[in-house]
Amino acid sequence: MAGLETDGTGPGGAVRRPPGNRAVVLGVLAVTAVVLLAQGASGTSARLVLLLVFLPALLAGLGTVAQTVAVSVWVAAVVVVSVVLWPPSAVEARVGTLVGVVGAEAGVVGLCARRVRQERQLSRMRQSAVALQRQLLRPLPVVTAEVRLDGLYRPVEEDALVGGDLYDIAQTPHGTRVLVGDVQGKGLPAIGTGFAVLSAFREAAFREAELTAVADALEAAVERHNAYAVQSGEQERFVTATVLGLRGGEDVRAVNCGHLAPYLLHADGRVEPVALSAGVPLGLASLAELTGGPWPRAVRRFALPADGVLVLLTDGITEAQDASGAFYPVERGLAELAAASADARAGSRAGSRAEFLPEFLPEALDRGARRWSGGRSRDDVTVLALRRAS
C-alpha cells in the first residue's frame, strides 16, 4: 500500500489520521482468512466471499484513497480466486459476480475520494478562519504603563467553526483600557461581528474619556453591524463583553455588558470573584429599553493590589463539562493554582514555574479544564491574566 497519508480532518478541522497501513493490512488479512475458511467449509453453494466487498466500503469512511484502492484491488483478486476455486454452475453467474464486485469497488473508491476532498476543503476554510481571527487578536503578552497582560487564546477543536472570542488592550491618554468579550455563535459571521467590536474599541478607547462612553460606542457598532446583517439576510448577534480602565493607584474601573465576572487572585492564595452588575450584552440595549431592563450601564470600581492578578475568562473554560455533565469548577481550579504559587513564594524556590503564576496561569487553567472535560472543547478558550506593571 502507499505510505501513510493525512487526507482527513478530525473534529474542528484538526488533522485526523487515518488508520495505519499495518493495522489495515493485518485487519484485511484476518477477515479474508476467516471468510475463505468459512467459504471452503460451506461448499460451493454459499457465496460468503462476497462479504469482503464491505471492507473497502468501511475503509472509505475512515482511511485514505490509497488504502481504499489497495483493499479494493485485494478484494477483487480474492473474489476472482474464489470464483475459480468454487465456480458457480452458470457462466453468466461468474461474469455477473465479477462485474458486480468491480463496479461496487469503483463506486467505493469514488466516494472515498469525494469524502477526502470535502474534508480538505473544510480544513482549509477553518484554517483560514482561525488565521483571520488570530490576525484580529493581539499577540500576548502586552505591557503598558499601568499593567502587563498575559493570556491564552485557543480555537475550538470540537466544532468545524471557530468561535467569537475577542480581546484587546490599549494604552490611551485616559490610561490602559482592556476589552474581553464573546460573540454569540461561531464561524465567519461571528468573526465579522467581533471585528466590528474590536474596531470600535480601538477608536473609542482613545477618544472617550468615560468608560461608559466606550461601552456605548461598542453598543452602537454592534447595532450597525446587525443592521447590515439583516439587509444581507444574516442573523443578528449580540456580544457579551467587559471593558476595564486602569490609571494610577489600585482602582480598576469596569463596565460589564453581560460577560462573565472576573476573578481576583491575591498573593496569599485567596481567590475572590469580582462582583459586577450583570449588564446588558452589546446589541441588546434597545431591547432592554423597551422591556424596562437594566439600563444605562454603570461603572464598577474595585482594587487590584500590586501583587494581585485579575483573571478574565470566556465560557470555553466555565462551560467545560465532565462525563456527568458537571461544569468545571473555575474558582477551585484558580484557588489551587494560586495556592501553589503562594507556597512556592513562601518556600523561596527560585525559578519555580508556580512562582511566576501570571505568565503560566492561562495555560495551567486551560489544562485543568481540558483534563476535567476529557479533552473535549465546545467553544473557544480565552484566559487573560492582568497585573500591575512592575
Side-chain angles (χ1 to χ4, degrees):
M1 294 183 185
L4 179 64
E5 301 174 17
T6 54
D7 292 331
T9 56
V15 174
R16 181 184 67 195
R17 291 189 177 277
N21 291 337
R22 179 184 177 85
V24 171
V25 170
L26 293 178
V28 169
L29 290 178
V31 173
T32 302
V34 171
V35 171
L36 288 180
L37 288 175
Q39 175 73 60
S42 64
T44 59
S45 60
R47 313 307 306 165
L48 298 179
V49 72
L50 296 181
L51 294 175
L52 293 176
V53 299
F54 291 102
L55 286 177
L58 176 62
L59 195 59
L62 302 173
T64 68
V65 175
Q67 289 173 338
T68 305
V69 169
V71 174
S72 297
V73 172
W74 169 260
V75 169
V78 171
V79 171
V80 169
V81 172
S82 172
V83 169
V84 172
L85 295 179
W86 299 285
S89 57
V91 176
E92 293 80 1
R94 303 180 192 179
V95 175
T97 298
L98 295 177
V99 171
V101 168
V102 172
E105 306 306 357
V108 164
V109 171
L111 290 175
C112 181
R114 181 181 178 184
R115 188 211 91 217
V116 169
R117 183 169 58 253
Q118 291 176 339
E119 289 181 341
R120 284 175 171 170
Q121 291 174 348
L122 180 61
S123 178
R124 285 194 294 268
M125 289 176 59
R126 185 178 185 278
Q127 289 170 3
S128 298
V130 170
L132 174 61
Q133 193 169 29
R134 289 192 182 277
Q135 288 299 313
L136 297 178
L137 302 177
R138 295 188 63 177
L140 296 173
V142 175
V143 180
T144 70
E146 288 84 12
V147 300
R148 173 186 171 111
L149 183 67
D150 294 279
L152 160 78
Y153 167 71
R154 179 172 58 80
V156 65
E157 295 179 0
E158 185 173 287
D159 202 285
L161 301 172
V162 295
D165 283 10
L166 57 92
Y167 65 85
D168 205 354
I169 180 171
Q171 176 73 67
T172 76
H174 314 293
T176 298
R177 262 78 187 270
V178 179
L179 168 70
V180 62
D182 188 1
V183 181
Q184 174 199 15
K186 296 181 178 69
L188 290 176
I191 294 177
T193 305
F195 177 69
V197 174
L198 288 172
S199 299
F201 174 78
R202 289 164 183 171
E203 288 190 15
F206 287 86
R207 183 183 68 241
E208 304 294 345
E210 298 297 327
L211 207 61
T212 51
V214 176
D216 291 342
L218 303 184
E219 174 70 36
V222 175
E223 288 181 349
R224 288 193 300 269
H225 185 82
N226 281 338
Y228 282 111
V230 170
Q231 294 174 1
S232 304
E234 297 180 358
Q235 176 187 353
E236 293 183 83
R237 298 175 186 272
F238 64 83
V239 182
T240 64
T242 299
V243 185
L244 304 175
L246 303 94
R247 186 177 190 180
E250 290 190 351
D251 274 356
V252 178
R253 293 169 298 142
V255 176
N256 189 30
C257 307
H259 197 65
L260 300 171
Y263 291 87
L264 180 59
L265 277 62
H266 296 273
D268 59 4
R270 290 183 296 115
V271 178
E272 175 188 353
V274 179
L276 299 179
S277 59
V280 179
L282 302 173
L284 299 181
S286 58
L287 180 62
E289 289 179 325
L290 292 175
T291 58
W295 183 260
R297 297 184 174 96
V299 175
R300 164 82 161 85
R301 294 177 182 269
F302 60 93
L304 174 60
D307 54 2
V309 180
L310 186 66
V311 181
L312 306 164
L313 306 168
T314 59
D315 56 12
I317 291 288
T318 60
E319 294 185 1
Q321 293 177 280
D322 64 8
S324 67
F327 292 109
Y328 176 62
V330 178
E331 188 170 348
R332 188 177 76 190
L334 287 172
E336 292 173 354
L337 294 174
S341 179
D343 291 345
R345 285 192 294 269
S348 300
R349 296 202 298 269
S352 169
R353 288 173 63 93
E355 186 174 358
F356 304 99
L357 176 64
E359 289 90 338
F360 297 103
L361 182 146
E363 289 82 0
L365 188 64
D366 180 47
R367 285 197 300 271
R370 297 188 79 178
R371 285 195 299 269
W372 178 269
S373 64
R376 298 181 301 274
S377 298
R378 296 185 178 181
D379 206 344
D380 286 11
V381 170
T382 299
V383 183
L384 304 178
L386 183 71
R387 56 176 164 153
R388 297 286 178 182
S390 56

